[in-house]
Amino acid sequence: MIKHCWSILCQNIITDAESNVVSYVLSIDNVVTQELPVKIPFFAIGTSWEKNTGPDVVENFAIRINHVSPARGSTTLGETGDITVQSHRHRMNFVLNGFSFDEPGVNRFSIVAKLNGIWTEAASLPVLVVLNPSINTACRQNAAWQ
């Protein structure tokens, strides 16, 4: 069976071509902005999955990414087709560059997996969006999302 190990929101995901080692650069758990909507130019979700049925067994699953906003509820951002896994570990990365937050409060990214034909939430990643009209302009210019 396949199970979710972990997920992370970050600005960039870099995979070394020779070693296959992955770097998850600048994790994101909150956004402070002077105005809404705020667009995040570099935004990605990294996920890790584990299969415990051994190397001779092939398993299939699918992943859906939903954005859950405080007022509007859930919106599906993307869904994979069937993913075939034979190895012990499997990584799936999703790039959402240019994603916009339209409202303040706790927004969530729901990682939903289809296992044995049933969609089940595997993870919920919160991002606190804070509207602060008096934010320091110098800090704002250095922030990746402005």
Side-chain angles (χ1 to χ4, degrees):
M1 177 171 202
I2 295 174
K3 72 173 195 164
H4 175 263
C5 296
W6 52 261
S7 293
I8 186 169
L9 296 167
C10 57
Q11 285 191 2
N12 198 4
I13 300 171
I14 301 167
T15 304
D16 182 76
E18 288 184 29
S19 66
N20 200 31
V21 171
V22 179
S23 296
Y24 299 91
V25 181
L26 298 172
S27 68
I28 298 171
D29 64 359
N30 68 66
V31 174
V32 179
T33 183
Q34 281 188 316
E35 60 188 17
L36 293 170
V38 59
K39 185 183 270 189
I40 310 296
F42 303 105
F43 192 64
I45 298 174
T47 68
S48 178
W49 304 82
E50 184 176 75
K51 183 177 74 71
N52 63 2
T53 52
D56 297 335
V57 177
V58 175
E59 301 256 4
N60 293 302
F61 75 118
I63 300 172
R64 181 184 294 158
I65 305 292
N66 295 330
H67 171 239
V68 183
S69 68
R72 295 187 197 155
S74 184
T75 303
T76 298
L77 301 177
E79 183 178 315
T80 68
D82 279 344
I83 302 164
T84 302
V85 180
Q86 189 165 358
S87 61
H88 175 68
R89 295 292 293 267
H90 186 77
R91 289 188 301 254
M92 287 294 300
N93 299 323
F94 303 89
V95 177
L96 303 172
N97 289 346
F99 184 83
S100 289
F101 290 100
D102 298 328
E103 55 190 288
V106 178
N107 289 255
R108 295 189 175 276
F109 291 88
S110 176
I111 314 300
V112 184
K114 185 178 182 182
L115 303 167
N116 299 320
I118 300 169
W119 288 101
T120 305
E121 184 176 68
S124 179
L125 308 173
V127 176
L128 176 61
V129 178
V130 177
L131 182 59
N132 184 351
S134 63
I135 190 172
N136 182 324
T137 305
C139 291
R140 185 176 145 224
Q141 290 173 347
N142 291 325
W145 49 81
Q146 295 291 331

